[in-house]
Amino acid sequence: MKSNSSIEHTDKNERKNSCSDKTKIKKEIYSEMYELPPYIINWIENNSNELISIWDKSGKVKFISKSVIRILGYTIEELDEISWYDLLSPEDVSQIMSYYADTEKDHNNHKFNINIRNKHGKYIWTECAISMVGDEEDDGYFYVSMLKDISDKKETEEMMIRSEKMSVAGQLAAGIAHEIRNPLTSLKGFMQLLQAGVNRKEEYYKIMIDEIEKMETITSELLFISKPLTNNKKEEIVEVMVHEIVALLLPQARLKNVDIKWKRQDNHCVYCDRSQIKQVLINIVKNAIEAMDEKGTIQILISATDVKLEIAIIDDGPGIPEEIIHKLGEPFFTTKKSGTGLGLMITNQILEKHDGKLEIEQNTNRGSTFKIILPLPNE
């Protein structure tokens, strides 16, 4: 007769063998389920909207899916002797290499919007997710990328941006016309005095030149916002950009008895596309002006730490209810009667491309604060 301990030991072994058998059966079932015939795999590769590729440390291709033929026009054989950086624009090569050179950044599944040259020499917009995969111990890692063509999406975004920019230009026209009419009246009066033969010609000439320069500044900024956004990043002085957009928006602010206050105390540089960041500033300051239902002030404060710069646009309007702050930036959501809801959506898209963000806060007493946060360039 077996002892209790031997019976328990036997039961444990039987349960262990039973579990082992179940695991083995499951593995066999899963193997049968996921072992697809070659023609299915070929269909997936040929019809997938994404291009999957694997590159080694030297930049040479180790694997590329057959969808490359449809997306880029190359055959797999044609890419054997090509490095990944041969297909990209120089700006995108620099962006990717600098990102992966920074050891503090997460190198797993980071997304880039990049231009890739197809077989016909045309650059197409793509969204590319790249991960570093491999064994750190033997230094045998590879770069795995999943890429998809976003040309149509990019064209739609650019069309929306152009539409919004033209809408902004039209809305500012009334204030600008009023602002230009005053200098023209002054110029007309001084011309009449000069025709009459007054003796203070030099003094009048100086005033006339100042008035012409005011009109030139305003019209130049109006033309600037009507142009398409560029994609040319370099170091720009934030205070200069703020000064220029204030000159453009001040006429509209004056029509609503709104004063824009800001003081240039320093020169802070950010790595950005000038036209895009100015568009962000215009969208937010213009929104602040339109939010003011009575006489008031908008303050623009610029501050910086070692790693980031903050531009705070503070208004003393009625403020934004807490329950809808999180909705701002959604397409076609707006609190204005004639608004489109695209201004803040475009603002968020631009800031995301610059590794920045927009924060919206309710002020303690009255009004709202919109904070544009941008990274400072490395030394």
Side-chain angles (χ1 to χ4, degrees):
M1 189 174 180
K2 290 184 179 179
S3 66
N4 288 337
S5 60
S6 64
I7 291 170
E8 286 175 7
H9 184 71
T10 303
D11 288 343
K12 283 180 183 178
N13 284 336
E14 286 176 355
R15 284 197 298 270
K16 187 176 179 182
N17 291 334
S18 174
C19 289
S20 177
D21 289 341
K22 285 179 181 178
T23 303
K24 188 177 179 182
I25 291 166
K26 280 183 180 179
K27 284 181 178 179
E28 287 174 359
I29 291 169
Y30 289 149
S31 177
E32 289 175 9
M33 284 174 61
Y34 294 108
E35 191 175 331
L36 298 173
Y39 67 88
I40 292 291
I41 295 169
N42 284 335
W43 188 93
I44 292 170
E45 281 202 340
N46 288 319
N47 293 279
S48 172
N49 288 327
E50 293 187 334
L51 168 61
I52 301 169
S53 60
I54 302 173
W55 309 79
D56 64 16
K57 290 184 290 184
S58 65
K60 295 296 180 184
V61 64
K62 290 298 179 184
F63 167 82
I64 197 157
S65 60
K66 292 178 182 176
S67 53
V68 68
I69 300 169
R70 185 170 48 81
I71 296 173
L72 297 179
Y74 295 101
T75 63
I76 293 173
E77 292 75 20
E78 285 173 324
L79 295 174
D80 279 347
E81 300 302 319
I82 293 179
S83 297
W84 68 268
Y85 42 79
D86 295 328
L87 300 175
L88 272 61
S89 64
E91 295 82 6
D92 290 330
V93 171
S94 176
Q95 177 192 3
I96 292 172
M97 292 185 77
S98 63
Y99 182 87
Y100 281 94
D102 189 344
T103 55
E104 293 183 3
K105 290 186 175 177
D106 181 12
H107 295 163
N108 186 37
N109 203 33
H110 186 76
K111 288 184 179 179
F112 301 90
N113 281 356
I114 55 178
N115 272 307
I116 295 186
R117 191 180 70 251
N118 65 15
K119 189 176 180 178
H120 307 293
K122 180 184 176 183
Y123 281 99
I124 62 171
W125 273 107
T126 64
E127 183 180 84
C128 185
I130 305 175
S131 290
M132 273 180 63
V133 179
D135 189 350
E136 294 181 2
E137 291 182 6
D138 61 5
D139 204 27
Y141 61 86
F142 295 89
Y143 295 95
V144 180
S145 72
M146 295 184 69
L147 177 147
K148 62 181 177 181
D149 184 350
I150 58 166
S151 300
D152 292 342
K153 178 186 173 186
K154 204 73 179 173
E155 286 175 13
T156 304
E157 284 179 2
E158 288 175 359
M159 188 169 64
M160 284 195 305
I161 290 170
R162 283 198 297 272
S163 173
E164 183 66 12
K165 282 164 71 68
M166 294 308 296
S167 173
V168 169
Q171 291 165 18
L172 296 178
I176 288 169
H178 181 79
E179 195 72 10
I180 288 175
R181 187 174 59 181
N182 290 339
L184 284 173
T185 303
S186 300
L187 288 170
K188 183 180 178 181
F190 286 124
M191 289 294 291
Q192 288 170 340
L193 288 172
L194 290 170
Q195 281 180 327
V198 294
N199 295 324
R200 299 164 61 187
K201 290 184 180 181
E202 292 303 320
E203 184 181 340
Y204 290 159
Y205 285 147
K206 184 180 181 304
I207 296 171
M208 289 167 72
I209 289 169
D210 288 344
E211 294 296 309
I212 290 169
E213 285 177 350
K214 283 180 189 175
M215 290 190 295
E216 188 180 29
T217 300
I218 294 169
T219 52
S220 295
E221 287 303 311
L222 187 61
L223 287 171
F224 180 88
I225 66 165
S226 64
K227 291 178 181 176
L229 291 181
T230 60
N231 191 25
N232 180 25
K233 289 183 181 179
K234 58 182 182 179
E235 287 197 10
E236 301 284 358
I237 300 173
V238 173
E239 283 76 7
V240 170
M241 292 189 286
V242 171
H243 175 77
E244 289 169 349
I245 68 102
V246 168
L248 175 68
L249 296 171
L250 206 51
Q252 188 190 19
R254 286 173 178 160
L255 283 179
K256 294 196 69 176
N257 289 320
V258 173
D259 189 20
I260 300 177
K261 290 185 177 180
W262 85 285
K263 190 175 181 181
R264 184 171 177 172
Q265 296 177 318
D266 206 343
N267 286 336
H268 295 99
C269 287
V270 292
Y271 184 72
C272 70
D273 179 275
R274 180 187 183 84
S275 71
Q276 294 187 24
I277 296 303
K278 282 181 71 173
Q279 185 66 45
V280 167
L281 291 165
I282 288 167
N283 289 348
I284 296 175
V285 176
K286 179 177 168 293
N287 281 351
I289 294 168
E290 292 171 350
M292 308 280 277
D293 49 11
E294 55 188 52
K295 185 177 179 180
T297 302
I298 294 169
Q299 282 186 295
I300 302 176
L301 303 176
I302 302 171
S303 59
T305 65
D306 292 337
V307 294
K308 66 180 181 179
L309 177 130
E310 184 178 287
I311 307 167
I313 292 108
I314 307 162
D315 68 68
D316 53 10
I320 303 167
E322 288 286 348
E323 61 270 18
I324 67 167
I325 281 183
H326 70 282
K327 291 185 178 181
L328 294 178
E330 291 180 7
F332 309 111
F333 177 83
T334 179
T335 57
K336 296 182 285 189
K337 290 181 181 178
S338 59
T340 62
L342 296 177
L344 283 181
M345 184 195 78
I346 291 165
T347 293
N348 284 326
Q349 286 178 350
I350 290 172
L351 290 176
E352 190 177 329
K353 291 175 190 172
H354 287 78
D355 295 324
K357 61 181 178 178
L358 177 67
E359 292 182 355
I360 306 169
E361 299 174 358
Q362 277 278 45
N363 297 341
T364 305
N365 297 323
R366 182 174 167 82
S368 307
T369 297
F370 284 68
K371 292 180 180 177
I372 301 165
I373 300 169
L374 292 165
L376 288 172
N378 295 326
E379 292 297 332

